[in-house]
Amino acid sequence: PTDIAIAPNSEGSLITFLDIPSNCIGANIYIGGHQYQSLSNVYLYTGTSDVEKIEVAYYDQFGEGEHGVLWLILPDVQGFLVERNGPELDFYWEPVNVYGISYIVKVGETLDWDKAVTLFTTKTNDKNRYIYPNVGEYYLMVKAMDEHGNFSKNATFYLIGNDEDIHRNVILE
């Protein structure tokens, strides 16, 4: 299912998605680890807890199909890895499966996102390089940001010890 949407109303939150195909019986809707069923493409959710994501899967007599997902709170970045190659740091992470995502990478002496300095912003999780010659231990952090400026809840971090490079050329006059 695609085009999953949620809209608040006086009775709760109205969840809608594309029409259920004619060869399916209904849709299973997963919210906060609980399963709900609907025989149409509309479901009224009356729960009181905050909703982080909504999953919808059509079902027939054989079981469920693929799940469509609507993230209401951006998921945290996973698989963050930093490698040092000479004076450069290479950054890798798994992509967040949300349209229009950017990634913000910061560095700090403590694990505090608000006090950290932004290294770079990118739209891809491809190999990103940054020259960071400072010596010492630093927390490198990454968060996902959507097109409205909303961030993932937690920064994923990597602690790196950057020793002085003894293989630099020195020119004496």
Side-chain angles (χ1 to χ4, degrees), residues 57-131:
Y58 300 135
Y59 67 90
D60 59 15
Q61 67 271 21
F62 301 109
E64 283 187 350
E66 292 184 25
H67 287 222
V69 179
L70 172 66
W71 287 97
L72 302 174
I73 297 175
L74 283 176
D76 295 335
V77 175
Q78 301 292 318
F80 187 44
L81 175 67
V82 180
E83 292 179 337
R84 180 174 179 197
N85 292 317
E88 295 179 340
L89 298 178
D90 294 335
F91 297 82
Y92 308 90
W93 56 84
E94 295 173 17
V96 173
N97 194 18
V98 177
Y99 178 77
I101 287 294
S102 295
Y103 301 96
I104 314 296
V105 177
K106 290 188 172 189
V107 62
E109 292 181 1
T110 62
L111 191 55
D112 186 344
W113 180 261
D114 296 326
K115 292 181 182 177
V117 176
T118 300
L119 291 179
F120 61 90
T121 301
T122 182
K123 291 223 174 253
T124 67
N125 70 318
D126 295 341
K127 185 176 181 179
N128 290 283
R129 278 202 171 138
Y130 190 82
I131 295 177

Side-chain angles (χ1 to χ4, degrees), residues 15-70:
I15 299 169
T16 60
F17 42 91
L18 283 182
D19 287 336
I20 296 173
S22 60
N23 60 345
C24 292
I25 298 169
N28 288 329
I29 300 142
Y30 298 92
I31 303 170
H34 299 293
Q35 177 182 341
Y36 306 93
Q37 287 189 334
S38 177
L39 299 177
S40 71
N41 66 325
V42 177
Y43 179 77
L44 179 63
Y45 176 68
T46 56
T48 56
S49 63
D50 288 340
V51 178
E52 289 190 22
K53 76 175 178 176
I54 299 169
E55 293 184 60
V56 178
Y58 300 135
Y59 67 90
D60 59 15
Q61 67 271 21
F62 301 109
E64 283 187 350
E66 292 184 25
H67 287 222
V69 179
L70 172 66

